[in-house]
Amino acid sequence: MSENPLQQIEHVTVIGAGAMGSQIAMVCALAGYDTDVVDIAQEAVDRAAEQLHSRMDRDVSKGRRTREDVDAAFERMTFSTDRDECAAQADFVIEAAVEDLTIKRQVFAELDAVCPEHTILATNSSNIVSSRVADATNRPEKVCNVHFFNPALVMKCVEVVPNPATSPETVETAMALARSIGKEPVQLKKEVPGFVANRLLGALRTEALKLYEDGVADYEDIDVAAKTALNHPMGPFELMDMVGIDVVYLIRLAEYEQTGDPASLPAESIREKYEAGEYGRKSGRGWYDYE
Ligand code: 3HC
């Protein structure tokens, strides 16, 4: 293995300018990497830039970061809709687009065609394991999951998950990259949908939804119990609103596609909220009202 696995990593391209993608990119830029945030929609890219600027302004005003560090990070960032132009310069790609296997496979095949030979292609997905996209490329040994947590600017954990074809060098580089951006990476030994943290969270969420749907307690009270009895920073319903009820729904659907087990399907109340467009904080309403 190489002495310094990060030797070749200077340029990171993040695909997807949603809450996750944009914050992952910001973390990389703050750590000194030239970083792109790419999305198909100009509107998404503009919104990401605006939200990151206001988040960083707040951090500066609260003395958490210096103006110099923040300005230097934005200097290193490119907000773009030209994915191929960015990816052609990338040493490491982190895909944080929609949780849809067909789209991801297409994105990986196209990235494989334009990225330099040495570029590692990682997906931030926690439910679509990288072996399901690796065979859309000619470099399965350079494909893995690198899974961040929401909000990515704050949460320390990053799960690095190899597929059976991922090389030890790729794992080593992904672990080193995560450390270099101030995260505490956790290395999985094999693929499993949801990985470690979301499996733990999923068990809690499933039980919370069951208690609510069985009429045992209101969702607000279940949240109170999680916070005051277990010292969780947020209750499971508040957390769903932050992560996005659409994300929760699509994760369960993707899990069902893989397991075929009806127990994997989204809970009834989640399906209703998803169909009503009540996605949580991002849509102004989910379990709670944010208007
Ligand atoms: N983006 C960036 N930074 C944020 C943020 C956000 N959405 N929300 C909060 N912060 C930061 C800010 O710096 C904020 O300070 P500020 O309001 O003065 O700017 C600081 O955190 C403190 O925030 P709050 O006072 O609002 O509240 P908390 O002290 O409770 O902290 C929290 C917020 C860090 C989000 C905390 O509640 C927490 O840790 N919650 C649990 C998060 C969690 O479980 N995440 C994992 C989700 S699962 C996942 O991501 C997997 C994926 O596959 C779906």
Side-chain angles (χ1 to χ4, degrees), residues 223-235:
D223 276 349
V224 170
K227 288 185 284 189
T228 57
L230 307 174
N231 245 1
H232 289 188
M234 289 176 145

PDB file of all heavy atoms in Angstrom, residues 223-235:
ATOM      1  N   ASP A 223     -41.077  11.582  20.941  1.00  0.00           N
ATOM      2  CA  ASP A 223     -39.858  12.395  20.816  1.00  0.00           C
ATOM      3  C   ASP A 223     -39.344  12.843  22.187  1.00  0.00           C
ATOM      4  O   ASP A 223     -38.136  12.798  22.459  1.00  0.00           O
ATOM      5  CB  ASP A 223     -40.121  13.632  19.942  1.00  0.00           C
ATOM      6  CG  ASP A 223     -39.995  13.313  18.447  1.00  0.00           C
ATOM      7  OD1 ASP A 223     -39.511  12.220  18.105  1.00  0.00           O
ATOM      8  OD2 ASP A 223     -40.371  14.176  17.625  1.00  0.00           O
ATOM      9  N   VAL A 224     -40.275  13.259  23.042  1.00  0.00           N
ATOM     10  CA  VAL A 224     -39.873  13.695  24.389  1.00  0.00           C
ATOM     11  C   VAL A 224     -39.192  12.540  25.125  1.00  0.00           C
ATOM     12  O   VAL A 224     -38.133  12.709  25.739  1.00  0.00           O
ATOM     13  CB  VAL A 224     -41.099  14.216  25.194  1.00  0.00           C
ATOM     14  CG1 VAL A 224     -40.721  14.427  26.662  1.00  0.00           C
ATOM     15  CG2 VAL A 224     -41.632  15.518  24.599  1.00  0.00           C
ATOM     16  N   ALA A 225     -39.762  11.348  25.016  1.00  0.00           N
ATOM     17  CA  ALA A 225     -39.181  10.191  25.719  1.00  0.00           C
ATOM     18  C   ALA A 225     -37.765   9.900  25.216  1.00  0.00           C
ATOM     19  O   ALA A 225     -36.854   9.647  26.019  1.00  0.00           O
ATOM     20  CB  ALA A 225     -40.070   8.961  25.537  1.00  0.00           C
ATOM     21  N   ALA A 226     -37.583   9.960  23.890  1.00  0.00           N
ATOM     22  CA  ALA A 226     -36.244   9.677  23.342  1.00  0.00           C
ATOM     23  C   ALA A 226     -35.232  10.686  23.880  1.00  0.00           C
ATOM     24  O   ALA A 226     -34.084  10.337  24.183  1.00  0.00           O
ATOM     25  CB  ALA A 226     -36.277   9.707  21.821  1.00  0.00           C
ATOM     26  N   LYS A 227     -35.675  11.946  24.023  1.00  0.00           N
ATOM     27  CA  LYS A 227     -34.735  12.997  24.456  1.00  0.00           C
ATOM     28  C   LYS A 227     -34.494  12.960  25.959  1.00  0.00           C
ATOM     29  O   LYS A 227     -33.366  13.114  26.418  1.00  0.00           O
ATOM     30  CB  LYS A 227     -35.265  14.372  24.040  1.00  0.00           C
ATOM     31  CG  LYS A 227     -35.156  14.588  22.527  1.00  0.00           C
ATOM     32  CD  LYS A 227     -35.566  15.983  22.102  1.00  0.00           C
ATOM     33  CE  LYS A 227     -37.064  16.153  22.122  1.00  0.00           C
ATOM     34  NZ  LYS A 227     -37.497  17.420  21.525  1.00  0.00           N
ATOM     35  N   THR A 228     -35.574  12.759  26.730  1.00  0.00           N
ATOM     36  CA  THR A 228     -35.413  12.897  28.183  1.00  0.00           C
ATOM     37  C   THR A 228     -35.082  11.585  28.878  1.00  0.00           C
ATOM     38  O   THR A 228     -34.504  11.582  29.957  1.00  0.00           O
ATOM     39  CB  THR A 228     -36.686  13.498  28.816  1.00  0.00           C
ATOM     40  OG1 THR A 228     -37.790  12.653  28.470  1.00  0.00           O
ATOM     41  CG2 THR A 228     -36.954  14.902  28.312  1.00  0.00           C
ATOM     42  N   ALA A 229     -35.455  10.454  28.258  1.00  0.00           N
ATOM     43  CA  ALA A 229     -35.135   9.164  28.891  1.00  0.00           C
ATOM     44  C   ALA A 229     -33.831   8.586  28.346  1.00  0.00           C
ATOM     45  O   ALA A 229     -33.120   7.897  29.060  1.00  0.00           O
ATOM     46  CB  ALA A 229     -36.271   8.172  28.659  1.00  0.00           C
ATOM     47  N   LEU A 230     -33.545   8.883  27.065  1.00  0.00           N
ATOM     48  CA  LEU A 230     -32.376   8.255  26.428  1.00  0.00           C
ATOM     49  C   LEU A 230     -31.277   9.263  26.096  1.00  0.00           C
ATOM     50  O   LEU A 230     -30.224   8.890  25.589  1.00  0.00           O
ATOM     51  CB  LEU A 230     -32.811   7.529  25.144  1.00  0.00           C
ATOM     52  CG  LEU A 230     -33.972   6.537  25.309  1.00  0.00           C
ATOM     53  CD1 LEU A 230     -34.407   5.982  23.950  1.00  0.00           C
ATOM     54  CD2 LEU A 230     -33.579   5.377  26.225  1.00  0.00           C
ATOM     55  N   ASN A 231     -31.575  10.557  26.337  1.00  0.00           N
ATOM     56  CA  ASN A 231     -30.608  11.630  26.051  1.00  0.00           C
ATOM     57  C   ASN A 231     -30.260  11.742  24.567  1.00  0.00           C
ATOM     58  O   ASN A 231     -29.153  12.159  24.219  1.00  0.00           O
ATOM     59  CB  ASN A 231     -29.332  11.443  26.871  1.00  0.00           C
ATOM     60  CG  ASN A 231     -29.157  12.574  27.862  1.00  0.00           C
ATOM     61  OD1 ASN A 231     -30.023  13.472  27.931  1.00  0.00           O
ATOM     62  ND2 ASN A 231     -28.073  12.582  28.594  1.00  0.00           N
ATOM     63  N   HIS A 232     -31.165  11.335  23.677  1.00  0.00           N
ATOM     64  CA  HIS A 232     -30.916  11.555  22.253  1.00  0.00           C
ATOM     65  C   HIS A 232     -31.060  13.049  21.969  1.00  0.00           C
ATOM     66  O   HIS A 232     -31.932  13.702  22.540  1.00  0.00           O
ATOM     67  CB  HIS A 232     -31.923  10.756  21.410  1.00  0.00           C
ATOM     68  CG  HIS A 232     -31.679   9.279  21.458  1.00  0.00           C
ATOM     69  ND1 HIS A 232     -32.344   8.390  20.657  1.00  0.00           N
ATOM     70  CD2 HIS A 232     -30.830   8.535  22.209  1.00  0.00           C
ATOM     71  CE1 HIS A 232     -31.920   7.164  20.911  1.00  0.00           C
ATOM     72  NE2 HIS A 232     -31.005   7.228  21.861  1.00  0.00           N
ATOM     73  N   PRO A 233     -30.214  13.600  21.092  1.00  0.00           N
ATOM     74  CA  PRO A 233     -30.312  15.047  20.841  1.00  0.00           C
ATOM     75  C   PRO A 233     -31.635  15.439  20.180  1.00  0.00           C
ATOM     76  O   PRO A 233     -32.101  16.569  20.339  1.00  0.00           O
ATOM     77  CB  PRO A 233     -29.133  15.337  19.910  1.00  0.00           C
ATOM     78  CG  PRO A 233     -28.713  14.024  19.370  1.00  0.00           C
ATOM     79  CD  PRO A 233     -29.109  12.986  20.362  1.00  0.00           C
ATOM     80  N   MET A 234     -32.229  14.507  19.440  1.00  0.00           N
ATOM     81  CA  MET A 234     -33.524  14.750  18.784  1.00  0.00           C
ATOM     82  C   MET A 234     -34.352  13.487  18.916  1.00  0.00           C
ATOM     83  O   MET A 234     -33.802  12.391  18.955  1.00  0.00           O
ATOM     84  CB  MET A 234     -33.335  14.942  17.286  1.00  0.00           C
ATOM     85  CG  MET A 234     -32.697  16.202  16.874  1.00  0.00           C
ATOM     86  SD  MET A 234     -32.482  16.115  15.084  1.00  0.00           S
ATOM     87  CE  MET A 234     -32.741  17.806  14.709  1.00  0.00           C
ATOM     88  N   GLY A 235     -35.689  13.657  18.907  1.00  0.00           N
ATOM     89  CA  GLY A 235     -36.545  12.479  18.884  1.00  0.00           C
ATOM     90  C   GLY A 235     -36.601  11.894  17.479  1.00  0.00           C
ATOM     91  O   GLY A 235     -36.259  12.576  16.506  1.00  0.00           O
TER      92      GLY A 235
END
